[in-house]
Amino acid sequence: MAAAEVRAFIGDMQRRHGFLPEELKKMFARLKANEQVIRLMDAPADPNKKVYWKEYRKKLLKPANILRGVDFMKAHVAALKRAEESFGVPSEIITAILGVETRYGAYLGNFHIAEALATLAFFYPRRGAEFRQELESFLLYVREQGADLLSFRGSFAGAFGMLQFLPSNARRFAVDFDGNGRQDSFSPVDSIGSIGKFLKHYGWRREHGIAYPVTVSGNMTPIIQNSQENGYKPTFSQAELAVVGVHIKGETAAGERYLPVDLENRYDTEYRAGTDNFYALTRYNKSFKYAAAVLDLSRAIRGRLK
C-alpha cells in the first residue's frame, strides 16, 4: 500500500474513531494493490456493445430469475409483509431488487472488500477521497457488527451482501430485521428490511404508483433535458406532460408528480412516466433501465405467485 497515505489514514482513524494503529498496520500489511480492481474501474465502454433496454430487460427477466423470485417470496412471507407494513414498499419490489442485484444471494461477488476498497482508496487518485470514505465506513461497520473484516467478499467497487450496499449505505440503512442482535448483510431477512428502509428514506410513497405507460405525440427532447437539469426528479404534473404531447395511460394516484423515462432500444425508444417511487429506485442504481427492470421483474414475480 502507498505508505504515506496509509499512515495518514491510520492516524485519522485513531484520532477520530479510536482505532489502534498497530491493528490497522497489521491489516494493511496483509493487503496488496489489486490490479484487476483498477482495470475494472477504468474499463472503457465499448460503443459496439451498447446494451439496449429490451436486451437488458430480457437478461434480468429470464424465467429462472422470475421463478426464484416466486420461491423467495414464498420462503419469506412474514418478513416481506412486515417490511411492507413498516416502510410501505411492496414485497415484490424488495424481492425484485434482490433478484437484480445478486439473484437472491446466489452471486455475491468474489473480491476481498478490504483489499478492493484499499486499492481504490490509495491507488485510484481520480476517486481516492471517495473510496477512503468508503474504507472508513467499512472499518466502522465491521467493528460495529463484531465481524471479521477479511471475511467480507463482494464487488470490485466494494459493495457487499445480498443487497450490494456500499459500506456507507450499510451503516446508514442496514437493519437488524430478524432481531438476533446484529445486522447481517448476507441475511435474507435483514436484507429485506434494509431495502425497505433505504427506499423509504429516498421518498417511497405507499399510495403512489411507480411508472406508467404513455403515448407520445410531441418532441420529447426538451422535456427530457429539463428533467436531467432537475436531477431526474419528478416535477411534472399530468397536465404539464399532456401539453407537450405525453399522455399517461391508466389510472393514476392523486398528488403524483412525474418524470419522463426514456428507455432506448436499437431502433426506437420506449417511454414511461415515473413517479417518486421510480425515482427512489434510481437511488439504488442511477439508471432508468435498472429501475424499469426492477419494476418489470416485480410484476412478473407477482404474476406467477400462487
Side-chain angles (χ1 to χ4, degrees), residues 255-275:
E256 287 181 337
R257 307 292 288 186
Y258 307 96
L259 71 153
V261 175
D262 54 328
L263 301 167
E264 185 182 0
N265 292 308
R266 192 172 299 275
Y267 302 111
D268 62 359
T269 299
E270 178 183 333
Y271 295 103
R272 302 184 187 185
T275 69

Side-chain angles (χ1 to χ4, degrees), residues 20-257:
L20 297 177
E22 290 306 316
E23 292 184 358
L24 292 181
K25 289 176 184 177
K26 289 179 182 178
M27 178 198 77
F28 282 113
R30 298 175 64 180
L31 304 177
K32 64 181 186 302
N34 189 318
E35 294 181 1
Q36 187 181 7
V37 167
I38 300 297
R39 286 197 302 271
L40 288 169
M41 287 297 291
D42 280 337
D46 185 343
N48 297 317
K49 294 183 179 180
K50 183 172 183 177
V51 179
Y52 293 97
W53 160 237
K54 287 181 180 178
E55 298 162 354
Y56 182 90
R57 182 185 186 278
K58 183 178 180 180
K59 181 178 179 181
L60 293 172
L61 269 76
K62 290 180 178 179
N65 209 28
I66 295 169
L67 293 176
R68 287 174 187 154
V70 171
D71 291 342
F72 184 90
M73 286 192 67
K74 289 179 177 179
H76 301 287
V77 171
L80 287 164
K81 181 179 180 181
R82 187 156 50 91
E84 190 164 344
E85 291 171 348
S86 299
F87 306 110
V89 183
S91 299
E92 61 269 24
I93 287 291
I94 293 174
T95 301
I97 286 177
L98 291 171
V100 171
E101 290 292 337
T102 60
R103 305 302 190 271
Y104 317 102
Y107 300 98
L108 299 172
N110 202 35
F111 287 87
H112 284 288
I113 296 299
E115 184 173 89
L117 289 174
T119 297
L120 295 169
F122 302 113
F123 292 94
Y124 196 65
R126 183 160 61 87
R127 295 175 62 186
E130 173 189 344
F131 282 106
R132 284 192 290 278
Q133 291 179 350
E134 291 297 340
L135 179 59
E136 175 185 344
S137 293
F138 180 64
L139 293 173
L140 289 167
Y141 175 81
V142 169
R143 184 173 71 176
E144 290 159 359
Q145 301 304 321
D148 175 10
L149 68 89
L150 293 178
S151 70
F152 278 74
R153 290 178 176 268
S155 78
F156 67 88
F160 59 89
M162 287 187 67
L163 59 175
Q164 291 292 285
F165 274 168
L166 285 170
S168 56
N169 277 340
R171 293 194 70 224
R172 290 181 68 192
F173 301 113
V175 297
D176 172 22
F177 210 56
D178 60 13
N180 69 352
R182 62 185 296 268
Q183 194 287 314
D184 181 359
S185 293
F186 299 90
S187 156
V189 174
D190 286 357
S191 297
I192 287 167
S194 300
I195 291 172
K197 181 179 179 180
F198 178 95
L199 292 177
K200 183 178 180 180
H201 172 84
Y202 281 106
W204 191 277
R205 301 186 66 174
R206 186 190 305 267
E207 68 277 13
H208 282 193
I210 301 173
Y212 300 95
V214 298
T215 58
V216 177
S217 58
N219 180 5
M220 288 293 290
T221 301
I223 195 171
I224 289 172
Q225 289 177 339
N226 182 287
S227 180
Q228 184 177 11
E229 291 167 2
N230 284 286
Y232 291 112
K233 294 181 180 178
T235 58
F236 297 98
S237 68
Q238 193 164 350
E240 288 169 335
L241 289 179
V243 167
V244 294
V246 180
H247 300 276
I248 295 175
K249 296 192 289 186
E251 185 176 349
T252 61
E256 287 181 337
R257 307 292 288 186

Side-chain angles (χ1 to χ4, degrees), residues 5-25:
E5 290 86 350
V6 170
R7 284 197 300 271
F9 180 83
I10 290 173
D12 192 47
M13 295 297 288
Q14 178 188 19
R15 285 190 301 273
R16 295 196 297 116
H17 303 299
F19 279 85
L20 297 177
E22 290 306 316
E23 292 184 358
L24 292 181
K25 289 176 184 177

